[in-house]
Amino acid sequence: MTGGGDGFQPMLVDIHSTRDFGQWRREGLAGDQPSLAPYGLEHLSQLGFELRQARRPAWLDREPARRLRPLELRTRLRLRQTVLGARVTRRADLALALLEPQSYAYSLLSTMGVRPWSTTPLAALVCWLADDFRVAGTRRKNWLRQCVRGTDLFLYLSRSQHPILREQLAIAEERLCFVPFGIDVDYFRPRSEPPGEPYVLTAGLDRGRDYATFLAAVAKLDYPVKLLCPLHLLRGLKVPDNVEALGFVEKARYRELLRDATLAVVPVRPEVAYPTGQSVLLAAMSSEVPTVVTQSEALADYTRHGENSWTVPGGDPESLLAGIELVLGDPQLSAKIARGGRRDAESDFNTASMWQKVAPRLRALGQSGP
């Protein structure tokens, strides 16, 4: 992916990601993925950056290379892919890791003075780092501090993470950059036809979701509910009769279920120090579907109570149920929230805006040199 962007000399960006950009682009063109690259990264190509990703050789998943896999899982170090990408790293003006686990091996090599990682500056889009540190024991905290020392720029997605990143992880202010997360507003569009049967929808894959509170709330709701999540996240929980647990669905199916919903609910654990639920929340907002969401410091950058969402206290089934019933029962409020969500997604929480905000910091980093 290349682009001239504002007349600047294109900068070569070494991309570190578990996603294969070529495959993602093919799926994006077919409508099976939002955007043409993870996180809408193709927008950087229009802003004066050339994106390169080292090829992943087939033998990397065979013996003996596969023997390193347990070590990588324990340490969250992508050792094999980082080292095999050295040729691209050496030629690049800067590197960009998506997300923080893809940055740790690079960062450690940079700290040790090993080229080319010590001479090609590294930016990392981070999501879980602050929360990982929050719940870590002393040894793990010391390890995380080591893992981030060689990263030159942290792109973080919630202002609530700043105190942990700055004060506890001791990351210098000039290495921190808050950027609001963005959704593909062309992929997640409002429905063009009247919806079918009404239902409430919730979805989510990660540990920050509060399905216990959600299921307790909707058990008293006289309304059909669809739940999209890996079924192991429901282990030990009673799924009410009005809830259809669909498990994991492909992205295109998820989009259809989301935009046909009467209401999207985002139940999260408010103590979690990363913006869990942000992608579902923003996808629903972009789809002009009204949302009820748990009040959370990590999501405060994205929610405006009564304007683009309806927020309720965390861990309280009665409050969640009351919020759901209020929005379902008030067509004017529901429409206001839905319109406000779409408006905010189009103006602030979209992939183009996200990378436009990041581009100046990446360009400055690439120009800083070794």
Side-chain angles (χ1 to χ4, degrees), residues 53-69:
Q53 184 182 35
R55 292 181 180 273
R56 182 182 177 86
W59 58 261
L60 197 58
D61 295 314
R62 303 175 191 150
E63 297 289 353
R66 196 164 55 195
R67 295 174 188 170
L68 286 173
R69 181 64 174 158

Side-chain angles (χ1 to χ4, degrees), residues 5-64:
D6 300 327
F8 288 121
Q9 179 67 27
M11 277 191 170
L12 181 61
V13 183
D14 171 28
I15 300 295
H16 291 253
S17 173
T18 58
R19 302 285 192 173
D20 182 294
F21 274 39
Q23 179 181 349
W24 188 289
R25 180 177 177 81
R26 291 189 294 273
E27 292 175 354
L29 290 170
D32 297 329
Q33 288 282 14
S35 303
L36 298 179
Y39 307 101
L41 197 64
E42 73 272 12
H43 290 290
L44 274 184
S45 302
Q46 303 161 13
L47 297 169
F49 298 88
E50 179 182 351
L51 311 182
R52 291 284 180 86
Q53 184 182 35
R55 292 181 180 273
R56 182 182 177 86
W59 58 261
L60 197 58
D61 295 314
R62 303 175 191 150
E63 297 289 353

Side-chain angles (χ1 to χ4, degrees), residues 199-203 210-229 234 237-245 263-268 292-294 312 315-326 328:
Y199 58 86
V200 170
L201 179 79
T202 194
D210 186 1
Y211 288 127
T213 296
F214 175 77
L215 292 174
V218 298
K220 302 176 182 179
L221 182 69
D222 185 20
Y223 214 86
V225 176
K226 296 183 187 296
L227 172 56
L228 311 179
C229 76
L234 305 179
L237 301 177
K238 179 176 174 53
V239 179
D241 292 339
N242 63 323
V243 176
E244 183 181 8
L263 172 70
V265 181
V266 185
V268 304
V292 172
V293 58
T294 305
V312 299
D316 183 349
E318 295 300 326
S319 294
L320 180 56
L321 175 61
I324 293 171
E325 291 182 327
L326 174 64
L328 286 176

Side-chain angles (χ1 to χ4, degrees), residues 57-99:
W59 58 261
L60 197 58
D61 295 314
R62 303 175 191 150
E63 297 289 353
R66 196 164 55 195
R67 295 174 188 170
L68 286 173
R69 181 64 174 158
L71 175 62
E72 289 185 331
L73 290 173
R74 287 197 305 272
T75 62
R76 295 193 182 183
L77 298 180
R78 301 298 192 266
L79 293 166
R80 298 172 297 171
Q81 195 66 26
T82 301
V83 172
L84 287 171
R87 185 176 180 181
V88 175
T89 304
R90 186 175 296 110
R91 296 178 54 237
D93 295 292
L94 70 151
L96 175 61
L98 310 168
L99 294 155

Side-chain angles (χ1 to χ4, degrees), residues 40-221:
L41 197 64
E42 73 272 12
H43 290 290
L44 274 184
S45 302
Q46 303 161 13
L47 297 169
F49 298 88
E50 179 182 351
L51 311 182
R52 291 284 180 86
Q53 184 182 35
R55 292 181 180 273
R56 182 182 177 86
W59 58 261
L60 197 58
D61 295 314
R62 303 175 191 150
E63 297 289 353
R66 196 164 55 195
R67 295 174 188 170
L68 286 173
R69 181 64 174 158
L71 175 62
E72 289 185 331
L73 290 173
R74 287 197 305 272
T75 62
R76 295 193 182 183
L77 298 180
R78 301 298 192 266
L79 293 166
R80 298 172 297 171
Q81 195 66 26
T82 301
V83 172
L84 287 171
R87 185 176 180 181
V88 175
T89 304
R90 186 175 296 110
R91 296 178 54 237
D93 295 292
L94 70 151
L96 175 61
L98 310 168
L99 294 155
E100 59 264 44
Q102 281 62 253
S103 73
Y104 292 158
Y106 191 120
S107 181
L108 287 168
L109 289 167
S110 176
T111 301
M112 292 185 289
V114 181
R115 291 173 177 263
W117 303 279
S118 63
T119 56
T120 303
L122 171 66
L125 181 67
V126 299
C127 178
W128 310 288
L129 176 58
D131 195 62
D132 285 349
F133 192 86
R134 178 184 70 89
V135 300
T138 301
R139 291 181 61 184
R140 179 66 178 168
K141 285 181 176 177
N142 290 335
W143 173 244
L144 287 171
R145 289 191 184 100
Q146 290 296 319
C147 286
V148 303
R149 284 178 55 202
T151 302
D152 302 283
L153 179 64
F154 295 84
L155 309 171
Y156 62 101
L157 304 172
S158 170
R159 287 189 179 94
S160 67
Q161 297 175 325
H162 184 272
I164 296 177
L165 298 175
R166 179 68 187 94
E167 299 165 15
Q168 298 183 43
L169 273 157
I171 299 172
E173 189 67 42
E174 60 269 20
R175 296 164 62 201
L176 294 172
C177 176
F178 165 68
V179 56
F181 189 70
I183 203 79
D184 186 334
V185 294
D186 293 322
Y187 186 84
F188 292 101
R189 298 191 64 82
R191 66 175 72 88
S192 57
E193 64 286 332
E197 293 297 318
Y199 58 86
V200 170
L201 179 79
T202 194
L205 306 175
D206 66 80
R207 67 180 187 263
R209 295 304 201 279
D210 186 1
Y211 288 127
T213 296
F214 175 77
L215 292 174
V218 298
K220 302 176 182 179
L221 182 69

Side-chain angles (χ1 to χ4, degrees), residues 243-257:
V243 176
E244 183 181 8
L246 297 175
F248 175 84
V249 299
E250 295 299 326
K251 189 73 69 159
R253 176 64 174 150
Y254 161 65
R255 175 179 61 174
E256 297 306 313
L257 288 167

